[in-house]
Amino acid sequence: MKGRNMTRWRDPAKDPRQEPKSNLITAEGFARLKGIHEHLSRVKRPQLSTKVGEAAALGDRSENADYTYNKKELNRVIARIRYLGKRLDELQVVDRLPADTGRVYFGAFVTLEDEEGEELGIRIVGHDETDTGKHWISVDAPLAKALLGKALDDEVTVAAPGGETTYIITDIGYRDPSAESR
């Protein structure tokens, strides 16, 4: 039996999707999410509402592909607006540098060197602003958890899919949040 209600059973105690996510976010990440929320609320939703109204006025809705598509899209946008509204209320904006910038904390740009001498530059950010293309990882990720509180030249071992990997911290930097808001 196949269908959308058939899913693989996961033990809730071991399901990584059930782990609590941190509510930290950088100032620029918060501004980006707020901008998306505003755009969806003020631009996208009214446009789709108009399209749905126009398509509904054409008559039979059961065979009206334009109506069906735009109605689904409108419902998706409304759900996203609702989610972002709740999430923005929960988030805690980190808008200052840590007291000790010689250690790895939230918002840090960290350069790591592995056992083969390959360098990896990452930034530790909130769950909502992770970006694999930029190498921005969540503060909840195993690598980030291993790095938090470490200093320059510290050795960090992280369990990876291919086995354990050891890194040495070669650089730690921060972007001043107060300089960005100017």
Side-chain angles (χ1 to χ4, degrees), residues 135-166:
H135 297 283
W136 288 12
I137 64 170
S138 170
V139 69
D140 301 319
L143 177 58
K145 287 180 180 180
L147 288 171
L148 290 175
K150 302 288 190 216
L152 201 61
D153 295 328
D154 281 357
E155 198 169 280
V156 179
T157 303
V158 181
E164 286 191 344
T165 306
T166 303

PDB file of all heavy atoms in Angstrom, residues 135-166:
ATOM      1  N   HIS A 135      29.565  27.904   3.389  1.00  0.00           N
ATOM      2  CA  HIS A 135      30.155  27.173   4.514  1.00  0.00           C
ATOM      3  C   HIS A 135      29.723  27.772   5.849  1.00  0.00           C
ATOM      4  O   HIS A 135      30.518  27.872   6.774  1.00  0.00           O
ATOM      5  CB  HIS A 135      31.692  27.118   4.418  1.00  0.00           C
ATOM      6  CG  HIS A 135      32.179  26.389   3.209  1.00  0.00           C
ATOM      7  ND1 HIS A 135      32.184  25.027   3.119  1.00  0.00           N
ATOM      8  CD2 HIS A 135      32.660  26.843   2.035  1.00  0.00           C
ATOM      9  CE1 HIS A 135      32.655  24.670   1.948  1.00  0.00           C
ATOM     10  NE2 HIS A 135      32.938  25.759   1.256  1.00  0.00           N
ATOM     11  N   TRP A 136      28.461  28.164   5.942  1.00  0.00           N
ATOM     12  CA  TRP A 136      27.889  28.629   7.199  1.00  0.00           C
ATOM     13  C   TRP A 136      27.167  27.440   7.807  1.00  0.00           C
ATOM     14  O   TRP A 136      26.227  26.915   7.212  1.00  0.00           O
ATOM     15  CB  TRP A 136      26.913  29.775   6.961  1.00  0.00           C
ATOM     16  CG  TRP A 136      27.574  31.065   6.577  1.00  0.00           C
ATOM     17  CD1 TRP A 136      28.872  31.263   6.214  1.00  0.00           C
ATOM     18  CD2 TRP A 136      26.952  32.345   6.512  1.00  0.00           C
ATOM     19  NE1 TRP A 136      29.102  32.580   5.926  1.00  0.00           N
ATOM     20  CE2 TRP A 136      27.939  33.274   6.105  1.00  0.00           C
ATOM     21  CE3 TRP A 136      25.675  32.804   6.756  1.00  0.00           C
ATOM     22  CZ2 TRP A 136      27.673  34.621   5.941  1.00  0.00           C
ATOM     23  CZ3 TRP A 136      25.415  34.148   6.589  1.00  0.00           C
ATOM     24  CH2 TRP A 136      26.407  35.055   6.189  1.00  0.00           C
ATOM     25  N   ILE A 137      27.605  27.016   8.996  1.00  0.00           N
ATOM     26  CA  ILE A 137      27.014  25.843   9.631  1.00  0.00           C
ATOM     27  C   ILE A 137      26.230  26.246  10.871  1.00  0.00           C
ATOM     28  O   ILE A 137      26.519  27.261  11.506  1.00  0.00           O
ATOM     29  CB  ILE A 137      28.085  24.782   9.986  1.00  0.00           C
ATOM     30  CG1 ILE A 137      29.069  25.315  11.023  1.00  0.00           C
ATOM     31  CG2 ILE A 137      28.808  24.311   8.732  1.00  0.00           C
ATOM     32  CD1 ILE A 137      29.986  24.258  11.596  1.00  0.00           C
ATOM     33  N   SER A 138      25.261  25.437  11.205  1.00  0.00           N
ATOM     34  CA  SER A 138      24.419  25.692  12.362  1.00  0.00           C
ATOM     35  C   SER A 138      25.198  25.499  13.646  1.00  0.00           C
ATOM     36  O   SER A 138      26.056  24.627  13.753  1.00  0.00           O
ATOM     37  CB  SER A 138      23.221  24.742  12.338  1.00  0.00           C
ATOM     38  OG  SER A 138      22.508  24.821  13.559  1.00  0.00           O
ATOM     39  N   VAL A 139      24.865  26.305  14.623  1.00  0.00           N
ATOM     40  CA  VAL A 139      25.474  26.184  15.946  1.00  0.00           C
ATOM     41  C   VAL A 139      25.120  24.835  16.574  1.00  0.00           C
ATOM     42  O   VAL A 139      25.806  24.360  17.481  1.00  0.00           O
ATOM     43  CB  VAL A 139      25.055  27.382  16.847  1.00  0.00           C
ATOM     44  CG1 VAL A 139      23.578  27.289  17.203  1.00  0.00           C
ATOM     45  CG2 VAL A 139      25.909  27.477  18.088  1.00  0.00           C
ATOM     46  N   ASP A 140      24.093  24.170  16.049  1.00  0.00           N
ATOM     47  CA  ASP A 140      23.663  22.859  16.541  1.00  0.00           C
ATOM     48  C   ASP A 140      24.390  21.707  15.860  1.00  0.00           C
ATOM     49  O   ASP A 140      24.230  20.562  16.260  1.00  0.00           O
ATOM     50  CB  ASP A 140      22.156  22.683  16.322  1.00  0.00           C
ATOM     51  CG  ASP A 140      21.353  23.756  17.040  1.00  0.00           C
ATOM     52  OD1 ASP A 140      21.708  24.080  18.182  1.00  0.00           O
ATOM     53  OD2 ASP A 140      20.386  24.264  16.453  1.00  0.00           O
ATOM     54  N   ALA A 141      25.176  21.989  14.809  1.00  0.00           N
ATOM     55  CA  ALA A 141      25.891  20.943  14.068  1.00  0.00           C
ATOM     56  C   ALA A 141      27.008  20.351  14.941  1.00  0.00           C
ATOM     57  O   ALA A 141      27.583  21.043  15.783  1.00  0.00           O
ATOM     58  CB  ALA A 141      26.484  21.516  12.790  1.00  0.00           C
ATOM     59  N   PRO A 142      27.322  19.071  14.737  1.00  0.00           N
ATOM     60  CA  PRO A 142      28.376  18.435  15.544  1.00  0.00           C
ATOM     61  C   PRO A 142      29.724  19.160  15.482  1.00  0.00           C
ATOM     62  O   PRO A 142      30.397  19.301  16.503  1.00  0.00           O
ATOM     63  CB  PRO A 142      28.482  17.032  14.945  1.00  0.00           C
ATOM     64  CG  PRO A 142      27.158  16.778  14.325  1.00  0.00           C
ATOM     65  CD  PRO A 142      26.670  18.111  13.857  1.00  0.00           C
ATOM     66  N   LEU A 143      30.113  19.644  14.296  1.00  0.00           N
ATOM     67  CA  LEU A 143      31.378  20.365  14.175  1.00  0.00           C
ATOM     68  C   LEU A 143      31.351  21.654  14.993  1.00  0.00           C
ATOM     69  O   LEU A 143      32.309  21.980  15.696  1.00  0.00           O
ATOM     70  CB  LEU A 143      31.693  20.666  12.708  1.00  0.00           C
ATOM     71  CG  LEU A 143      32.961  21.475  12.428  1.00  0.00           C
ATOM     72  CD1 LEU A 143      34.192  20.775  12.999  1.00  0.00           C
ATOM     73  CD2 LEU A 143      33.122  21.710  10.939  1.00  0.00           C
ATOM     74  N   ALA A 144      30.250  22.389  14.916  1.00  0.00           N
ATOM     75  CA  ALA A 144      30.132  23.638  15.665  1.00  0.00           C
ATOM     76  C   ALA A 144      30.155  23.379  17.169  1.00  0.00           C
ATOM     77  O   ALA A 144      30.818  24.097  17.923  1.00  0.00           O
ATOM     78  CB  ALA A 144      28.856  24.370  15.275  1.00  0.00           C
ATOM     79  N   LYS A 145      29.451  22.342  17.603  1.00  0.00           N
ATOM     80  CA  LYS A 145      29.446  22.003  19.033  1.00  0.00           C
ATOM     81  C   LYS A 145      30.852  21.659  19.519  1.00  0.00           C
ATOM     82  O   LYS A 145      31.228  22.010  20.635  1.00  0.00           O
ATOM     83  CB  LYS A 145      28.496  20.837  19.302  1.00  0.00           C
ATOM     84  CG  LYS A 145      27.038  21.219  19.217  1.00  0.00           C
ATOM     85  CD  LYS A 145      26.152  20.021  19.498  1.00  0.00           C
ATOM     86  CE  LYS A 145      24.690  20.391  19.423  1.00  0.00           C
ATOM     87  NZ  LYS A 145      23.809  19.248  19.691  1.00  0.00           N
ATOM     88  N   ALA A 146      31.621  20.983  18.673  1.00  0.00           N
ATOM     89  CA  ALA A 146      32.992  20.624  19.051  1.00  0.00           C
ATOM     90  C   ALA A 146      33.895  21.854  19.094  1.00  0.00           C
ATOM     91  O   ALA A 146      34.842  21.898  19.880  1.00  0.00           O
ATOM     92  CB  ALA A 146      33.547  19.595  18.072  1.00  0.00           C
ATOM     93  N   LEU A 147      33.606  22.858  18.269  1.00  0.00           N
ATOM     94  CA  LEU A 147      34.459  24.045  18.195  1.00  0.00           C
ATOM     95  C   LEU A 147      34.168  25.079  19.276  1.00  0.00           C
ATOM     96  O   LEU A 147      35.063  25.837  19.652  1.00  0.00           O
ATOM     97  CB  LEU A 147      34.303  24.713  16.823  1.00  0.00           C
ATOM     98  CG  LEU A 147      34.914  23.996  15.637  1.00  0.00           C
ATOM     99  CD1 LEU A 147      34.484  24.666  14.341  1.00  0.00           C
ATOM    100  CD2 LEU A 147      36.427  23.983  15.745  1.00  0.00           C
ATOM    101  N   LEU A 148      32.938  25.143  19.758  1.00  0.00           N
ATOM    102  CA  LEU A 148      32.555  26.192  20.703  1.00  0.00           C
ATOM    103  C   LEU A 148      33.461  26.201  21.931  1.00  0.00           C
ATOM    104  O   LEU A 148      33.689  25.178  22.568  1.00  0.00           O
ATOM    105  CB  LEU A 148      31.091  26.032  21.127  1.00  0.00           C
ATOM    106  CG  LEU A 148      30.070  26.349  20.046  1.00  0.00           C
ATOM    107  CD1 LEU A 148      28.666  26.045  20.549  1.00  0.00           C
ATOM    108  CD2 LEU A 148      30.161  27.793  19.600  1.00  0.00           C
ATOM    109  N   GLY A 149      33.985  27.378  22.236  1.00  0.00           N
ATOM    110  CA  GLY A 149      34.842  27.552  23.399  1.00  0.00           C
ATOM    111  C   GLY A 149      36.313  27.265  23.156  1.00  0.00           C
ATOM    112  O   GLY A 149      37.145  27.528  24.013  1.00  0.00           O
ATOM    113  N   LYS A 150      36.650  26.735  21.995  1.00  0.00           N
ATOM    114  CA  LYS A 150      38.042  26.408  21.684  1.00  0.00           C
ATOM    115  C   LYS A 150      38.807  27.668  21.269  1.00  0.00           C
ATOM    116  O   LYS A 150      38.220  28.638  20.802  1.00  0.00           O
ATOM    117  CB  LYS A 150      38.132  25.366  20.566  1.00  0.00           C
ATOM    118  CG  LYS A 150      37.423  24.066  20.866  1.00  0.00           C
ATOM    119  CD  LYS A 150      38.166  23.267  21.891  1.00  0.00           C
ATOM    120  CE  LYS A 150      37.554  21.880  21.958  1.00  0.00           C
ATOM    121  NZ  LYS A 150      37.522  21.295  23.233  1.00  0.00           N
ATOM    122  N   ALA A 151      40.131  27.609  21.417  1.00  0.00           N
ATOM    123  CA  ALA A 151      40.992  28.750  21.084  1.00  0.00           C
ATOM    124  C   ALA A 151      41.860  28.412  19.876  1.00  0.00           C
ATOM    125  O   ALA A 151      41.833  27.293  19.358  1.00  0.00           O
ATOM    126  CB  ALA A 151      41.858  29.099  22.285  1.00  0.00           C
ATOM    127  N   LEU A 152      42.651  29.392  19.466  1.00  0.00           N
ATOM    128  CA  LEU A 152      43.574  29.235  18.344  1.00  0.00           C
ATOM    129  C   LEU A 152      44.558  28.103  18.628  1.00  0.00           C
ATOM    130  O   LEU A 152      45.019  27.934  19.762  1.00  0.00           O
ATOM    131  CB  LEU A 152      44.334  30.554  18.138  1.00  0.00           C
ATOM    132  CG  LEU A 152      44.954  30.796  16.786  1.00  0.00           C
ATOM    133  CD1 LEU A 152      43.886  30.823  15.701  1.00  0.00           C
ATOM    134  CD2 LEU A 152      45.688  32.129  16.792  1.00  0.00           C
ATOM    135  N   ASP A 153      44.865  27.295  17.625  1.00  0.00           N
ATOM    136  CA  ASP A 153      45.790  26.153  17.683  1.00  0.00           C
ATOM    137  C   ASP A 153      45.258  24.972  18.498  1.00  0.00           C
ATOM    138  O   ASP A 153      45.999  24.027  18.740  1.00  0.00           O
ATOM    139  CB  ASP A 153      47.174  26.568  18.214  1.00  0.00           C
ATOM    140  CG  ASP A 153      47.870  27.536  17.274  1.00  0.00           C
ATOM    141  OD1 ASP A 153      47.657  27.423  16.051  1.00  0.00           O
ATOM    142  OD2 ASP A 153      48.622  28.398  17.767  1.00  0.00           O
ATOM    143  N   ASP A 154      43.985  25.002  18.915  1.00  0.00           N
ATOM    144  CA  ASP A 154      43.393  23.847  19.591  1.00  0.00           C
ATOM    145  C   ASP A 154      43.076  22.774  18.558  1.00  0.00           C
ATOM    146  O   ASP A 154      42.769  23.071  17.406  1.00  0.00           O
ATOM    147  CB  ASP A 154      42.110  24.224  20.338  1.00  0.00           C
ATOM    148  CG  ASP A 154      42.389  24.897  21.666  1.00  0.00           C
ATOM    149  OD1 ASP A 154      43.579  25.012  22.028  1.00  0.00           O
ATOM    150  OD2 ASP A 154      41.419  25.314  22.332  1.00  0.00           O
ATOM    151  N   GLU A 155      43.142  21.538  18.988  1.00  0.00           N
ATOM    152  CA  GLU A 155      42.837  20.404  18.129  1.00  0.00           C
ATOM    153  C   GLU A 155      41.423  19.921  18.448  1.00  0.00           C
ATOM    154  O   GLU A 155      41.059  19.772  19.610  1.00  0.00           O
ATOM    155  CB  GLU A 155      43.852  19.284  18.394  1.00  0.00           C
ATOM    156  CG  GLU A 155      43.913  18.259  17.300  1.00  0.00           C
ATOM    157  CD  GLU A 155      45.098  17.327  17.481  1.00  0.00           C
ATOM    158  OE1 GLU A 155      46.224  17.724  17.121  1.00  0.00           O
ATOM    159  OE2 GLU A 155      44.866  16.213  17.984  1.00  0.00           O
ATOM    160  N   VAL A 156      40.643  19.685  17.399  1.00  0.00           N
ATOM    161  CA  VAL A 156      39.250  19.269  17.549  1.00  0.00           C
ATOM    162  C   VAL A 156      39.026  18.001  16.737  1.00  0.00           C
ATOM    163  O   VAL A 156      39.385  17.947  15.563  1.00  0.00           O
ATOM    164  CB  VAL A 156      38.294  20.383  17.054  1.00  0.00           C
ATOM    165  CG1 VAL A 156      36.854  19.954  17.173  1.00  0.00           C
ATOM    166  CG2 VAL A 156      38.540  21.673  17.793  1.00  0.00           C
ATOM    167  N   THR A 157      38.416  16.977  17.363  1.00  0.00           N
ATOM    168  CA  THR A 157      38.093  15.738  16.662  1.00  0.00           C
ATOM    169  C   THR A 157      36.579  15.634  16.544  1.00  0.00           C
ATOM    170  O   THR A 157      35.860  15.785  17.531  1.00  0.00           O
ATOM    171  CB  THR A 157      38.658  14.522  17.430  1.00  0.00           C
ATOM    172  OG1 THR A 157      40.071  14.698  17.570  1.00  0.00           O
ATOM    173  CG2 THR A 157      38.385  13.242  16.679  1.00  0.00           C
ATOM    174  N   VAL A 158      36.125  15.371  15.318  1.00  0.00           N
ATOM    175  CA  VAL A 158      34.687  15.311  15.042  1.00  0.00           C
ATOM    176  C   VAL A 158      34.374  14.014  14.315  1.00  0.00           C
ATOM    177  O   VAL A 158      35.104  13.605  13.408  1.00  0.00           O
ATOM    178  CB  VAL A 158      34.257  16.508  14.151  1.00  0.00           C
ATOM    179  CG1 VAL A 158      32.774  16.463  13.871  1.00  0.00           C
ATOM    180  CG2 VAL A 158      34.637  17.817  14.792  1.00  0.00           C
ATOM    181  N   ALA A 159      33.268  13.372  14.732  1.00  0.00           N
ATOM    182  CA  ALA A 159      32.810  12.170  14.034  1.00  0.00           C
ATOM    183  C   ALA A 159      32.182  12.593  12.711  1.00  0.00           C
ATOM    184  O   ALA A 159      31.284  13.426  12.676  1.00  0.00           O
ATOM    185  CB  ALA A 159      31.806  11.423  14.886  1.00  0.00           C
ATOM    186  N   ALA A 160      32.684  12.019  11.622  1.00  0.00           N
ATOM    187  CA  ALA A 160      32.183  12.320  10.277  1.00  0.00           C
ATOM    188  C   ALA A 160      31.706  11.018   9.640  1.00  0.00           C
ATOM    189  O   ALA A 160      32.009   9.933  10.136  1.00  0.00           O
ATOM    190  CB  ALA A 160      33.285  12.962   9.448  1.00  0.00           C
ATOM    191  N   PRO A 161      30.948  11.091   8.537  1.00  0.00           N
ATOM    192  CA  PRO A 161      30.480   9.866   7.884  1.00  0.00           C
ATOM    193  C   PRO A 161      31.604   8.910   7.491  1.00  0.00           C
ATOM    194  O   PRO A 161      31.440   7.707   7.517  1.00  0.00           O
ATOM    195  CB  PRO A 161      29.740  10.381   6.646  1.00  0.00           C
ATOM    196  CG  PRO A 161      29.342  11.766   6.982  1.00  0.00           C
ATOM    197  CD  PRO A 161      30.399  12.292   7.910  1.00  0.00           C
ATOM    198  N   GLY A 162      32.762   9.427   7.143  1.00  0.00           N
ATOM    199  CA  GLY A 162      33.884   8.591   6.740  1.00  0.00           C
ATOM    200  C   GLY A 162      34.789   8.209   7.900  1.00  0.00           C
ATOM    201  O   GLY A 162      35.861   7.674   7.697  1.00  0.00           O
ATOM    202  N   GLY A 163      34.393   8.484   9.121  1.00  0.00           N
ATOM    203  CA  GLY A 163      35.209   8.232  10.303  1.00  0.00           C
ATOM    204  C   GLY A 163      35.533   9.543  10.994  1.00  0.00           C
ATOM    205  O   GLY A 163      35.086  10.607  10.594  1.00  0.00           O
ATOM    206  N   GLU A 164      36.313   9.451  12.042  1.00  0.00           N
ATOM    207  CA  GLU A 164      36.656  10.656  12.786  1.00  0.00           C
ATOM    208  C   GLU A 164      37.650  11.513  12.011  1.00  0.00           C
ATOM    209  O   GLU A 164      38.567  11.003  11.368  1.00  0.00           O
ATOM    210  CB  GLU A 164      37.241  10.289  14.149  1.00  0.00           C
ATOM    211  CG  GLU A 164      36.206   9.797  15.121  1.00  0.00           C
ATOM    212  CD  GLU A 164      36.751   9.698  16.541  1.00  0.00           C
ATOM    213  OE1 GLU A 164      37.986   9.722  16.729  1.00  0.00           O
ATOM    214  OE2 GLU A 164      35.939   9.611  17.451  1.00  0.00           O
ATOM    215  N   THR A 165      37.442  12.824  12.091  1.00  0.00           N
ATOM    216  CA  THR A 165      38.334  13.773  11.439  1.00  0.00           C
ATOM    217  C   THR A 165      38.872  14.728  12.495  1.00  0.00           C
ATOM    218  O   THR A 165      38.123  15.196  13.354  1.00  0.00           O
ATOM    219  CB  THR A 165      37.581  14.584  10.362  1.00  0.00           C
ATOM    220  OG1 THR A 165      36.949  13.673   9.459  1.00  0.00           O
ATOM    221  CG2 THR A 165      38.511  15.483   9.590  1.00  0.00           C
ATOM    222  N   THR A 166      40.147  15.022  12.424  1.00  0.00           N
ATOM    223  CA  THR A 166      40.774  15.936  13.373  1.00  0.00           C
ATOM    224  C   THR A 166      41.145  17.222  12.656  1.00  0.00           C
ATOM    225  O   THR A 166      41.707  17.201  11.561  1.00  0.00           O
ATOM    226  CB  THR A 166      42.030  15.298  13.995  1.00  0.00           C
ATOM    227  OG1 THR A 166      41.655  14.073  14.618  1.00  0.00           O
ATOM    228  CG2 THR A 166      42.658  16.206  15.029  1.00  0.00           C
TER     229      THR A 166
END
